[in-house]
Amino acid sequence: MGEEKKVSIAIIGAGGVGRCFLQQCSQILPLYQNVSVVLISRSNRSLRVPSWNHVLSLDTWEKDLAASNDPAPSPQELLDWFGTTENEIILVDNTSSQDIAAFYPQFLKDRITVVTPNKKAFSSDLGLWKKIINSAYPYDPDGGFLYHEASVGAGLPIISTLKDLLETCDEVQKIEGVFSGTMSFLFNNFAPMEGKGGKWSDEVTKAKNAGFTEPDPRDDLNGVDVARKLVILARMVGLQIESTSAFPVQSLIPKELEDCTSGDEFMEKLPAFDDEMEKDKAKAEEKGKVVRFVGSIDVASGAVEVGVKEFDKGHAIAGLKGSDNIISFYTKRYGSNPLIVQGAGAGGEVTAMGVSADLIKAIKDVHGWKIVR
């Protein structure tokens, strides 16, 4: 096998998911030889080793980063720095930055492995997505490895499950599910299997206070987050989806409130529109059904859509609890009994777990590069 390679990990994004990820790294990385963190960067500062023989401490990184006066490096500066070592580089991008995502092809072409939960890299411009995929191994035999499990479903094995189905030559016919922990929490409480549930605006307030929504709940209610995840999966099954605007995405923001200047103003005015959501819930209840916010991909027709849909109470999607996600893969092999992935699909710890699991795969792959190549 030859001499084991040294692996240097550069981490961009150290707040939220990034902080949880670094905590997990402090437990995981000591299990691997010749693997170390050499850069931790956030939007306004960075912490970098003075030479490639040094390592950053994962016990004191937060204090050390706060004391650093070094600015965050640009993607080009990172690429230039990576070129000064023979170590294998793994870049972990915990941000949602479009600028960093746009640089993935250059990183991959330089044999830098990329691990990321960044949805924008895989759901924005179709041309960028093609460049990223075609620059990564195995499409480019000399490219870096690419892992993005956490770009859909946080720590749930959605990307890897779909890859397994495709690589074992199953025919994926339809993908459907609840792709948002926020929407799951809202609808499970607004339209429960038993009882009446609360008013829509009250449930949005509860979700916001519990930390299930973005600071401005409109960022969840507009449906774009779910749409991004569907674009990623649709492209994986071969659909040439240009962007999230290429298919119907139902927004739960009343038109009259789209121009609110703040999230607080939106929340203050939202109760006046409770009746609209109540009507949809009542129509479903008359049929013995419940409403849920789902995304679906019909592979044969190429139809992709996001929005509110009615489900029989015996359906797996109807019976979700809390903020769980559920994704059903309907395939030729599985027939009418879909392969289902279900569990927590949001939160810093579980998203970081998805990134950490990808990092472990990346470490093993770059260590075995001579065998793989």
Side-chain angles (χ1 to χ4, degrees):
M1 292 179 62
E3 183 180 351
E4 192 174 64
K5 300 175 180 179
K6 290 184 178 180
V7 179
S8 297
I9 302 170
I11 301 167
I12 306 175
V17 171
R19 181 177 286 107
C20 295
F21 170 73
L22 280 157
Q23 174 59 38
Q24 293 175 19
C25 281
S26 69
Q27 299 172 295
I28 294 168
L29 295 187
L31 303 175
Y32 296 88
Q33 293 183 338
N34 297 320
V35 177
S36 62
V37 174
V38 296
L39 172 92
I40 300 174
S41 175
R42 60 192 320 165
S43 59
N44 59 350
R45 66 187 64 201
S46 66
L47 187 64
R48 188 191 308 195
V49 291
S51 76
W52 291 102
N53 294 323
H54 289 75
V55 301
L56 296 182
S57 169
L58 293 181
D59 295 324
T60 61
W61 72 267
E62 203 156 6
K63 179 184 69 175
D64 296 340
L65 181 60
S68 173
N69 292 318
D70 293 337
S74 69
Q76 183 61 57
E77 288 170 337
L78 280 176
L79 192 63
D80 293 341
W81 182 51
F82 294 156
T84 65
T85 181
E86 293 184 0
N87 294 356
E88 298 292 352
I89 302 292
I90 299 176
L91 174 67
V92 181
D93 174 21
N94 288 315
T95 76
S96 59
S97 167
Q98 185 69 54
D99 291 338
I100 297 173
F103 231 80
Y104 286 178
Q106 288 95 315
F107 289 129
L108 292 163
K109 286 176 182 177
D110 273 24
R111 293 172 64 96
I112 294 162
T113 289
V114 175
V115 173
T116 183
N118 188 344
K119 288 188 284 289
K120 290 180 181 177
F122 309 96
S123 63
S124 55
D125 178 65
L126 179 61
L128 173 60
W129 178 80
K130 289 181 177 179
K131 286 181 182 177
I132 292 172
I133 299 302
N134 291 331
S135 300
Y137 184 85
Y139 297 95
D140 181 347
D142 295 319
F145 294 99
L146 174 66
Y147 301 91
H148 62 104
E149 183 72 75
S151 64
V152 179
L156 294 178
I158 297 171
I159 296 285
S160 55
T161 296
L162 181 55
K163 279 185 176 180
D164 287 346
L165 291 170
L166 295 172
E167 290 176 2
T168 58
C169 299
D170 199 355
E171 181 184 322
V172 179
Q173 300 162 337
K174 181 181 178 181
I175 303 171
E176 182 176 58
V178 174
F179 290 84
S180 164
T182 301
M183 291 299 198
S184 181
F185 182 85
L186 283 172
F187 279 87
N188 293 341
N189 287 282
F190 171 64
M193 295 276 281
E194 298 179 0
K196 277 196 67 73
K199 292 182 179 179
W200 177 248
S201 59
D202 289 343
E203 297 302 338
V204 175
T205 299
K206 288 179 190 175
K208 185 175 186 294
N209 292 340
F212 283 112
T213 74
E214 296 293 332
D216 186 339
R218 288 175 295 180
D219 292 336
D220 295 293
L221 298 178
N222 62 16
V224 173
D225 181 67
V226 174
R228 286 190 181 280
K229 296 171 184 178
L230 288 187
V231 169
I232 295 170
L233 298 180
R235 288 174 176 174
M236 287 181 65
V237 298
L239 300 183
Q240 301 295 297
I241 305 296
E242 287 290 340
S243 68
T244 56
S245 60
F247 54 89
V249 178
Q250 181 180 357
S251 171
L252 300 184
I253 303 172
K255 289 187 181 298
E256 296 86 344
L257 302 186
E258 289 177 350
D259 295 327
C260 287
T261 57
S262 69
D264 290 339
E265 181 187 355
F266 170 77
M267 292 301 298
E268 183 181 338
K269 295 180 177 179
L270 185 59
F273 299 88
D274 280 344
D275 286 348
E276 294 182 17
M277 291 297 294
E278 197 65 37
K279 288 176 183 176
D280 290 339
K281 180 169 75 171
K283 286 179 184 177
E285 287 176 345
E286 289 174 0
K287 306 171 193 174
K289 299 183 177 185
V290 293
V291 286
R292 296 291 183 260
F293 194 87
V294 300
S296 65
I297 302 167
D298 186 289
V299 180
S301 67
V304 181
E305 58 183 354
V306 174
V308 178
K309 188 175 176 181
E310 297 177 354
F311 289 91
D312 292 325
K313 291 186 176 181
H315 197 287
I317 287 178
L320 275 183
K321 304 293 184 183
S323 59
D324 275 7
N325 284 9
I326 183 170
I327 290 82
S328 300
F329 295 95
Y330 294 84
T331 76
K332 184 176 182 179
R333 191 175 293 149
Y334 279 85
S336 59
N337 188 24
L339 189 163
I340 293 176
V341 178
Q342 180 177 344
E349 289 289 348
V350 293
T351 302
M353 174 267 170
V355 181
S356 296
D358 273 352
L359 176 62
I360 292 171
K361 295 172 189 172
I363 290 170
K364 292 177 179 178
D365 276 341
V366 297
H367 269 167
W369 207 307
K370 287 181 181 178
I371 297 173
V372 173
R373 306 291 169 122

